[in-house]
Amino acid sequence: MFTQNSKMEEELTPHSDPSGKLPARDPGTAATTGGTAPIGGVFEAISRGESFVTETHEELAAEDPVVGIEDFDLHYGATQALFGVSMCVPRGKVTALIGPSGCGKSTLLRSVNRMNDLIDGVQTDGKMTLNGDSIYGRKVDVIELRKRIGMVFQKPNPFPMSIYENVIYSLRIDGVRDKNLLDEVCELSLKGAGLWDEVKDRLNSNALRMSGGQQQRLCIARAIAAEPEVLLLDEPCSALDPIATGKIEDLIDQLRGHYSILMVTHNMQQASRTSDYTAFMYLGRLVEYGPTGEIFMQPKLRETEDYVTGRFG
Amino acid sequence: MSLTLEQSPPASPPAPPAPPRRKRRTSALDTGGAMVWATAGSLSMCLVAIVGLLLLCFFKGSTTFWPQPIHEFELTDGTQVMGEVTRDELFTTEDGRELRRRLVRVGNYEFTGEHFRWITDDQIASESNPEWALMVERRQALERTQAGPFYGTPKALEVDGEAVATQPEEIWKRFNELHGESVDRQLERQDLEKHDVGATNRLSEEARIALREVELRHGVDSPEWAAQEVEYKKVVEDATRRYELVRARIDHLNEENARVRLIMQAADGQEQSTPLADVVRAVPANQLSFAQSVGVYFSRWWEFLSDEPREANSAGGVFPAIFGTIAMTLIMTIMVVPFGVLAALYMKEYAKQGFLISAVRIAVNNLAGVPSIVFGVFGLGFFCYFLGVSIDELFFQANAPNPTFGKGGILWASLTLALLTLPVVIVATEEALAAVPNSMREGSYACGATKWQTIRRIVLPRALPGIMTGVILAISRGAGEVAPLMLVGAVKLAPELPVDGVFPYVHAQRSFMHLGFHIYDLGFQSQNSEAAKPMVFTTTLLLIAIIVLLNVVAIRVRSRLRARFSTSHI
Ligand SMILES: Nc1ncnc2c1ncn2[C@@H]1O[C@H](COP(=O)(O)OP(=O)(O)O)[C@@H](O)[C@H]1O
Ligand SMILES: [Mg+2]
């Protein structure tokens, strides 16, 4: 797998092609082809409020998308948080969303399972699909939709109940009674989350008594117990210590291939270590999206390079 | 740092080298020494007040039943007085002397016409504690309204008018042999009067109501009425026959009981003959050993806790009041908790937060400050006179003009108190719901749970300890409330408990006794206020104990819940 430490990143000589010759094209038509930055740089164009085209690398065209996002806008009341985001989440791969704080990573992630519906005054525009089924269509049952998507939050949020009940929560609310099935799912999910050996003797003890790292892995177990089609992770390690973070990263590595993962991270090394694809967001726009190696070593846009090398952000 | 910046004078370009700012010495107030004293002082004042209150109730309340020695006084005017000293104080006479006076419970109301009497020391010629002075606590016989205790010496024990013992030792021995069976007979008689006579009355009353119902539906001339009347007559005849049987048994018991009598002689020589069955307890107070005193003490406590009141509530027990208090509190809790929790759930989880909900919230908070008597008035007007009367008109027309639900009763009282404590539950529940981290709700929604599933499985369990706190507060408030109860069903003396063995077992329309109201009644409504006074403290002690008990139960439930949902350590 592609791994890289920060030192290497710093030593890299920036390789970019700031052509900046062509004006912005219509965003609807150029989602997957390599684009070019507008005159004066992407960031300035963004701050001027001009539309621009996401720089999407051509490798993505070959991928089978689980989640497709097309020209997606989102408003929190009067303020717009997402501007014409278009991307796809490839099947069986780990995709990382990076970008400075407040650029809309969480907002985009929460849009996928429509958690933003819970916030008053949120308005969306654009298209999103999950395995071809519309997410924002008029007839979509949000509850059924969320059952197809797993989500893990920034802060571990186990429920105030036993470890066992936490893991099988999604089955409980579906009214599954079959004890054998529940036991089996619990064991498989905990094994999948690398937690089985630690908790198999105390499945009935309260989940709130676990350590933070264990709680987060429990949340992952809870998410995969529902056999989700896509797994959303919102900065899953930001509340954890380095050792627990390492365990979660190993876990994400193991889940690769079995699950399609869309992960927000604040941590550049984490993105470079764990993800196959990386998307760079800035002020509500998706700036550049491509294979992690390319984004970190030879991004097409100077702005992406500045960000991944830590020159700003 | 920023403080120094603010203090410096506003930009004057060639700033003179500012002298080092003089630091003010921290005042005594700021170092906190004075505040420690002030806060600690306030706390200790509160503690002293609360502990003082509890100690007062405890000492006054727990000494009431301890047997006191009986004094016999020979007064300078030649009369003799016997009784217990209940108060002892010094006072200054008009000519400036300090003199001791004692309030003596003299009893023997039928002779003296008074229960208590002040005796000053200069009235006393001699004073003694006669060995065989006896305090006889008498049951309130139906014919007499005021019996009270009798103080005197035993003169004889008569069976069928013949003295079988005349020496005090002998009388005391025979008394103890015979007293038990007399009391048993007495209790059987009471039981018959209360239940069996009641049952026959109920039979004919039910038949009468059935007849009246037919009359209301079909009229007096209808064949249905004629048929019903035949039925009615049969039932009444049957009831009368059964009544006769019960009556015969009662008469027999009465005769038996009248045979055995205790003849007492008061200090002034008058004699009083009391059937043994009317004697609750005779206490030879001046010759009791410590163990015997303890026995009398606990027997009185037991009577207090398990029996019905006697002598216009100033003696006997308060069992109906204990029962009424607990039953009312439980019904109130059962009513208020679901409503309060649901209302709070709506306000916190479902309703769109905005002006309307804020207004409702403020209104609910203000409701908690409305004087309780206002709730009483509302309960009387709405529950008793509107709801109750409507129920009577719909279902109990045959009973008219006697109200069934259209008057004060335990159900209406409980509902009134539920209304009174509703804000407490709502506010506490709202706070408990607000304390549930939103991340848990989000986690549940993300798993595909609906709103109700999230509330039921995540929010409510997590908020339960907080909700229990509200319930505890509501119980404390409700169990101790008296003012509204006076309007909606608490009475001085309730003939029947609201729950008994007669179908339909729970009689929610019945008026009931309540410890809080009982205290008020004892303290301010009693004809014999001096005798009622110690009972006030004892009853207060009991009320406090019951509220503490209810709270302890609720707190244990809460701590159990807390242990289950204790917070994490990340
Ligand atoms: N509930 C909300 N209401 C209004 N604005 C919000 C809300 N949540 C996020 N925002 C705004 O949307 C923008 C994107 O936020 P977010 O997606 O949380 O950023 P990120 O996760 O990338 O740090 C921010 O400017 C933030 O202030
Ligand atoms: Mg975020």
Side-chain angles (χ1 to χ4, degrees):
Chain A
M1 194 41 240
F2 176 88
T3 50
Q4 179 183 27
N5 61 32
S6 55
K7 219 168 183 183
M8 282 173 70
E9 276 172 42
E10 278 159 24
E11 284 162 3
L12 282 169
T13 35
H15 163 87
S16 58
D17 53 348
S19 44
K21 280 161 206 146
L22 289 165
R25 280 177 296 175
D26 177 34
T29 59
T32 52
T33 50
T36 41
I39 306 159
V42 175
F43 292 171
E44 273 160 47
I46 290 174
S47 39
R48 280 200 304 272
E50 286 172 13
S51 59
F52 81 106
V53 178
T54 303
E55 181 68 53
T56 306
H57 297 214
E58 58 265 18
E59 286 87 340
L60 279 153
E63 291 286 352
D64 171 22
V66 174
V67 176
I69 304 169
E70 270 175 53
D71 201 13
F72 191 80
D73 292 341
L74 186 141
H75 296 257
Y76 286 114
T79 52
Q80 189 164 3
L82 293 178
F83 297 80
V85 174
S86 297
M87 68 181 288
C88 69
V89 179
R91 189 180 305 283
K93 297 281 162 58
V94 178
T95 308
L97 278 176
I98 60 170
S101 222
C103 69
K105 306 180 295 291
S106 299
T107 303
L108 180 62
L109 201 72
R110 292 163 55 91
S111 299
V112 176
N113 63 349
R114 290 184 61 172
M115 288 298 280
N116 287 326
D117 289 16
L118 301 170
I119 300 169
D120 284 339
V122 168
Q123 280 176 353
T124 58
D125 192 17
K127 232 183 111 185
M128 240 191 232
T129 52
L130 173 65
N131 279 325
D133 304 331
S134 171
I135 290 178
Y136 279 90
R138 199 167 287 176
K139 286 194 186 135
V140 174
D141 180 349
V142 184
I143 300 298
E144 290 309 313
L145 173 82
R146 291 200 189 122
K147 285 178 181 167
R148 295 166 61 186
I149 301 173
M151 185 162 190
V152 175
F153 296 80
Q154 198 163 343
K155 231 185 109 203
N157 58 351
F159 301 141
M161 41 176 95
S162 70
I163 295 174
Y164 181 87
E165 288 296 327
N166 258 283
V167 176
I168 58 159
Y169 184 75
S170 54
L171 283 78
R172 276 269 185 256
I173 58 179
D174 270 348
V176 176
R177 291 267 170 77
D178 181 356
K179 184 87 174 85
N180 292 333
L181 177 64
L182 293 175
D183 288 350
E184 190 186 327
V185 169
C186 178
E187 182 173 343
L188 281 177
S189 309
L190 283 172
K191 277 180 176 159
L195 200 56
W196 176 250
D197 292 328
E198 287 164 61
V199 301
K200 64 174 180 242
D201 302 321
R202 51 177 182 127
L203 289 177
N204 287 319
S205 70
N206 195 323
L208 297 176
R209 303 239 169 85
M210 302 163 86
S211 74
Q214 287 176 323
Q215 289 188 353
Q216 195 62 304
R217 277 181 285 151
L218 180 69
C219 292
I220 294 177
R222 184 172 77 196
I224 61 181
E227 296 176 345
E229 293 163 37
V230 60
L231 199 54
L232 310 174
L233 312 179
D234 190 352
E235 301 193 33
C237 304
S238 65
L240 305 181
D241 60 74
I243 293 176
T245 301
K247 284 190 180 167
I248 301 267
E249 285 178 12
D250 292 347
L251 174 59
I252 292 170
D253 215 30
Q254 282 161 26
L255 295 176
R256 186 193 318 280
H258 307 287
Y259 295 94
S260 315
I261 297 177
L262 180 60
M263 171 173 85
V264 172
T265 174
H266 221 82
N267 179 325
M268 230 68 71
Q269 289 99 298
Q270 189 173 62
S272 65
R273 276 197 299 266
T274 53
S275 67
D276 303 307
Y277 289 97
T278 298
F280 169 52
M281 290 182 72
Y282 183 75
L283 286 185
R285 278 90 168 169
L286 183 59
V287 176
E288 186 167 351
Y289 183 25
T292 300
E294 286 183 26
I295 293 287
F296 280 92
M297 309 257 259
Q298 36 204 243
K300 297 201 173 144
L301 297 183
R302 151 157 252 121
E303 290 76 9
T304 311
E305 184 188 309
D306 287 351
Y307 183 73
V308 298
T309 52
R311 231 164 279 160
F312 97 96
Chain B
M1 193 197 84
S2 62
L3 210 75
T4 26
L5 281 178
E6 280 162 22
Q7 299 268 324
S8 65
S12 48
R21 197 166 62 84
R22 269 204 35 225
K23 307 258 181 356
R24 200 170 59 87
R25 278 202 49 193
T26 321
S27 74
L29 192 70
D30 289 332
T31 47
M35 284 319 287
V36 171
W37 280 103
T39 48
S42 305
L43 178 65
S44 26
M45 288 285 282
C46 297
L47 283 181
V48 165
I50 292 169
V51 170
L53 175 110
L54 289 178
L55 283 184
L56 179 85
C57 287
F58 186 75
F59 281 120
K60 290 246 182 187
S62 58
T63 49
T64 309
F65 295 139
W66 190 260
Q68 302 292 330
I70 299 170
H71 296 265
E72 184 170 359
F73 301 100
E74 194 181 337
L75 302 184
T76 45
D77 63 3
T79 53
Q80 309 266 350
V81 175
M82 191 187 270
E84 285 173 31
V85 174
T86 57
R87 267 200 262 168
D88 192 336
E89 59 191 42
L90 288 175
F91 76 112
T92 318
T93 53
E94 278 159 22
D95 48 5
R97 284 180 303 139
E98 274 233 318
L99 207 56
R100 179 189 188 201
R101 68 175 169 207
R102 282 176 280 182
L103 185 64
V104 180
R105 180 166 203 182
V106 290
N108 309 10
Y109 187 76
E110 60 270 52
F111 298 148
T112 58
E114 59 186 0
H115 294 287
F116 291 83
R117 181 167 170 188
W118 282 105
I119 296 179
T120 49
D121 272 3
D122 62 354
Q123 289 179 289
I124 298 172
S126 72
E127 180 183 338
S128 63
N129 298 91
E131 189 194 1
W132 277 106
L134 212 58
M135 181 220 196
V136 180
E137 292 172 43
R138 293 176 293 178
R139 212 176 297 283
Q140 184 173 345
L142 287 175
E143 315 85 59
R144 286 189 303 266
T145 48
Q146 288 287 339
F150 192 94
Y151 295 92
T153 42
K155 184 89 189 308
L157 193 75
E158 283 182 355
V159 177
D160 293 328
E162 277 180 39
V164 295
T166 48
Q167 288 308 303
E169 291 86 1
E170 184 73 9
I171 296 170
W172 183 239
K173 203 174 133 244
R174 295 302 300 267
F175 170 82
N176 282 327
E177 286 165 15
L178 295 171
H179 186 224
E181 47 189 84
S182 295
V183 167
D184 288 347
R185 276 194 297 269
Q186 177 73 13
L187 291 180
E188 187 187 344
R189 198 199 77 177
Q190 277 179 0
D191 197 53
L192 285 174
E193 275 172 350
K194 199 161 170 184
H195 295 116
D196 298 54
V197 174
T200 56
N201 285 345
R202 221 169 19 249
L203 270 184
S204 38
E205 180 66 7
E206 275 163 13
R208 189 188 67 76
I209 289 174
L211 182 65
R212 174 95 177 112
E213 261 164 14
V214 173
E215 184 186 321
L216 285 175
R217 204 169 317 132
H218 302 284
V220 200
D221 311 319
S222 62
E224 286 92 344
W225 190 81
Q228 188 66 37
E229 200 197 10
V230 173
E231 177 73 9
Y232 169 66
K233 288 205 168 125
K234 223 162 59 201
V235 172
V236 169
E237 212 169 280
D238 186 44
T240 316
R241 211 169 37 243
R242 284 171 64 172
Y243 176 75
E244 300 287 310
L245 285 175
V246 175
R247 194 67 244 173
R249 175 75 187 148
I250 290 175
D251 288 344
H252 170 72
L253 290 169
N254 279 346
E255 268 167 37
E256 283 289 304
N257 273 343
R259 285 174 54 211
V260 193
R261 306 180 81 91
L262 176 67
I263 315 294
M264 294 283 294
Q265 187 173 36
D268 58 4
Q270 297 193 69
E271 282 183 15
Q272 164 70 293
S273 144
T274 317
L276 242 55
D278 280 349
V279 176
V280 175
R281 192 182 292 108
V283 184
N286 292 341
Q287 47 168 303
L288 288 179
S289 68
F290 181 74
Q292 283 166 322
S293 292
V294 171
V296 171
Y297 180 73
F298 281 109
S299 121
R300 282 177 176 165
W301 258 110
W302 175 242
E303 187 196 1
F304 181 68
L305 294 178
S306 66
D307 226 335
E308 285 169 23
R310 310 181 257 121
E311 290 171 42
N313 289 358
S314 68
V318 292
F319 177 74
I322 299 176
F323 188 91
T325 306
I326 293 181
M328 189 211 65
T329 308
L330 287 184
I331 299 176
M332 174 200 82
T333 311
I334 291 168
M335 298 279 182
V336 74
V337 171
F339 276 109
V341 170
L342 288 178
L345 268 180
Y346 182 78
M347 276 163 63
K348 200 86 213 167
E349 301 285 328
Y350 287 98
K352 202 167 141 82
Q353 302 300 313
F355 171 75
L356 197 66
I357 280 296
S358 302
V360 170
R361 195 167 287 138
I362 290 169
V364 166
N365 276 313
N366 283 336
L367 210 59
V370 172
S372 56
I373 190 78
V374 174
F375 283 95
V377 172
F378 173 79
L380 183 71
F382 180 71
F383 293 128
C384 305
Y385 291 163
F386 176 69
L387 223 56
V389 168
S390 310
I391 292 174
D392 281 358
E393 275 169 11
L394 283 176
F395 304 107
F396 298 97
Q397 219 166 26
N399 226 351
N402 295 335
T404 306
F405 278 97
K407 61 170 178 52
I410 193 163
L411 178 67
W412 300 147
S414 305
L415 282 177
T416 305
L417 285 197
L419 216 59
L420 180 93
T421 49
L422 193 62
V424 180
V425 176
I426 291 183
V427 169
T429 307
E430 267 211 290
E431 268 163 24
L433 293 176
V436 177
N438 242 330
S439 63
M440 282 193 185
R441 293 188 183 86
E442 289 201 325
S444 172
Y445 292 134
C447 286
T450 61
K451 187 145 205 159
W452 171 239
Q453 284 170 330
T454 303
I455 290 173
R456 188 168 75 83
R457 291 175 182 272
I458 309 292
V459 177
L460 274 186
R462 175 66 202 247
L464 220 47
I467 296 173
M468 283 302 295
T469 304
V471 174
I472 291 167
L473 288 175
I475 289 177
S476 310
R477 173 105 202 262
E481 197 61 68
V482 179
L485 296 182
M486 299 200 274
L487 299 177
V488 289
V491 291
K492 187 183 172 64
L493 190 67
E496 292 158 308
L497 294 178
V499 176
D500 61 19
V502 179
F503 184 81
Y505 310 117
V506 179
H507 309 273
Q509 80 280 9
R510 281 188 189 161
S511 42
F512 64 105
M513 290 176 71
H514 183 274
L515 280 173
F517 182 69
H518 196 77
I519 292 169
Y520 166 75
D521 181 62
L522 281 173
F524 303 101
Q525 306 283 295
S526 178
Q527 299 110 311
N528 187 359
S529 64
E530 201 60 52
K533 209 178 278 170
M535 297 291 275
V536 168
F537 289 103
T538 317
T539 314
T540 306
L541 184 65
L542 184 64
L543 178 62
I544 294 175
I546 285 180
I547 293 178
V548 166
L549 191 79
L550 287 170
N551 273 302
V552 164
V553 171
I555 288 171
R556 299 240 4 196
V557 171
R558 181 178 64 182
S559 56
R560 279 226 163 143
L561 295 171
R562 279 242 173 89
R564 263 178 66 196
F565 304 119
S566 68
T567 41
S568 59
H569 48 25
I570 295 182

